[in-house]
Amino acid sequence: EVQLLESGGGLVEPGGSLRLSCEASGFMFSDYAMSWVRQAPGKGLEWVSGISGSGQSTYYADSVKGRFTISRDNSKNTVYLQMNSLRAEDTAVYYCARVGDQYCAGGSCFYSDYWGQGILVTVSS
Amino acid sequence: SYELTQPPSVSVSPGLTASISCSGDKLGSDYVSWYQQKPGQSPVLVIYQDDKRPSGIPERFSASNSGNTATLTISGTQAMDEADYYCQAWGSGVVFGGGTKLTVL
């Protein structure tokens, strides 16, 4: 059974940093790209970042480029999202998601077939 | 940046067919996915690669993609289908539509 478990969320002041983790189980982690998707309170889904199975290819939304960094440790079956220079508008539930197309490294194969339960990040003073 | 446009809301009576559109420039030349999200829950993939249903998704969910518009169709809509629906494509990164609230009344 595929499982994705996010951790690391919480309350942080504007300008602060936070690192989210997503531990995966139930599949060959290194074969699959991963995404982070967020949802601000009462708003729609917003893709944040993605990373290929090998970690060699990374992608970012314009809204987080230069502030957020995605990475993965395939030995720990874990993907990370390092968030720096946080702003109030980064407040959201952050979801970790598996890219459904095995060996997809980017492009139109980048859909998500399994999602974590989400973790709340609140940026406020 | 690439944009996908969905109607904010769609209403349908139980047992009838609901259609939710998603429009974007030359969308038909790319794969589209659709997600269902119920309040307080994580999104669920209901359609991928334009018209494929993941295991466990009922046959009443179908979709098409041509030209500038993709369409999610729910036949014989049930009360349990009431949810927010999002389309998704790729445009130098994943792009989501703004979402459509489906009301079954």
Side-chain angles (χ1 to χ4, degrees):
Chain A
E1 179 191 6
V2 172
Q3 291 191 330
L4 301 170
L5 184 62
E6 301 101 337
S7 61
L11 175 64
V12 61
E13 292 187 348
S17 298
L18 211 55
R19 188 178 83 155
L20 303 183
S21 301
C22 171
E23 184 174 359
S25 60
F27 64 100
M28 186 61 69
F29 184 68
S30 59
D31 285 353
Y32 290 85
M34 300 293 292
S35 276
W36 286 97
V37 178
R38 69 184 180 185
Q39 187 168 36
K43 302 297 184 182
L45 301 176
E46 180 189 14
W47 176 79
V48 174
S49 184
I51 186 168
S52 63
S54 67
Q56 288 188 327
S57 299
T58 58
Y59 307 92
Y60 298 93
D62 288 343
S63 59
V64 306
K65 201 171 294 183
R67 299 189 299 124
F68 290 11
T69 302
I70 191 171
S71 62
R72 64 190 295 159
D73 185 338
N74 286 344
S75 68
K76 296 182 178 179
N77 287 0
T78 301
V79 61
Y80 305 97
L81 185 68
Q82 177 67 44
M83 304 184 293
N84 298 332
S85 302
L86 282 162
R87 307 166 179 166
E89 53 264 37
D90 295 318
T91 294
V93 172
Y94 284 72
Y95 295 100
C96 166
R98 188 185 85 163
V99 170
D101 200 328
Q102 193 176 16
Y103 306 124
C104 175
S108 59
C109 55
F110 230 80
Y111 63 89
S112 295
D113 62 347
Y114 287 93
W115 297 65
Q117 83 287 352
I119 193 159
L120 178 62
V121 171
T122 303
V123 184
S124 175
S125 55
Chain B
S1 61
Y2 194 68
E3 292 186 1
L4 297 176
T5 301
Q6 298 180 235
S9 63
V10 168
S11 297
V12 64
S13 298
L16 298 188
T17 297
S19 295
I20 299 173
S21 63
C22 173
S23 62
D25 187 43
K26 300 176 183 177
L27 186 58
S29 64
D30 195 7
Y31 278 140
V32 173
S33 303
W34 291 91
Y35 302 86
Q36 175 194 71
Q37 188 182 32
K38 296 181 179 179
Q41 298 184 18
S42 302
V44 172
L45 178 70
V46 294
I47 293 287
Y48 67 100
Q49 292 180 352
D50 287 346
D51 57 6
K52 297 179 174 60
R53 276 181 295 105
S55 173
I57 300 301
E59 290 185 8
R60 64 179 180 273
F61 287 87
S62 64
S64 62
N65 182 22
S66 179
N68 294 322
T69 304
T71 303
L72 175 69
T73 301
I74 309 172
S75 305
T77 307
Q78 300 182 9
M80 68 172 65
D81 300 328
E82 187 164 286
D84 293 326
Y85 290 86
Y86 297 89
C87 60
Q88 178 234 299
W90 178 271
S92 66
V94 171
V95 179
F96 285 101
T100 298
K101 182 176 181 60
L102 177 67
T103 301
V104 182
L105 42 67

